Amino acid sequence: MQVSVTEAAANLNQLIQAAINGEEVIVIDGDRPAIKLTPIGKIRPDRKPGSAKGLIWVSDDFDEPLAEFKEYME
């Protein structure tokens, strides 16, 4: 959909809704495209604490020094 600047000013709410619904809205200034209305990407859902429970495993010796670095730790 292409509209003039004057039309866009008069119908901004409808044009925003059209863009949110997936329609490409281009505002024309004179004879050239000036602005494209597009929705910002989908909003991510809220994070849920504990949602990865059981998916991650950490070795019991995770914090133990590595043998390769033993000479640096003395």
Side-chain angles (χ1 to χ4, degrees), residues 39-58:
I40 295 176
K42 293 183 179 182
I43 297 173
R44 290 188 232 168
D46 291 337
R47 294 174 28 177
K48 296 179 183 167
S51 63
K53 187 174 184 175
L55 299 177
I56 298 172
W57 173 80
V58 178

Side-chain angles (χ1 to χ4, degrees), residues 17-72:
Q17 194 58 48
I20 288 171
N21 291 331
E23 190 168 345
E24 185 176 87
V25 179
I26 299 175
V27 179
I28 305 294
D29 185 16
D31 61 345
R32 63 188 180 112
I35 298 169
K36 184 192 319 186
L37 296 178
T38 58
I40 295 176
K42 293 183 179 182
I43 297 173
R44 290 188 232 168
D46 291 337
R47 294 174 28 177
K48 296 179 183 167
S51 63
K53 187 174 184 175
L55 299 177
I56 298 172
W57 173 80
V58 178
S59 173
D60 292 335
D61 64 349
F62 177 79
D63 291 329
E64 297 298 318
L66 297 173
E68 294 87 18
F69 293 103
K70 193 171 193 171
E71 66 185 84
Y72 299 107

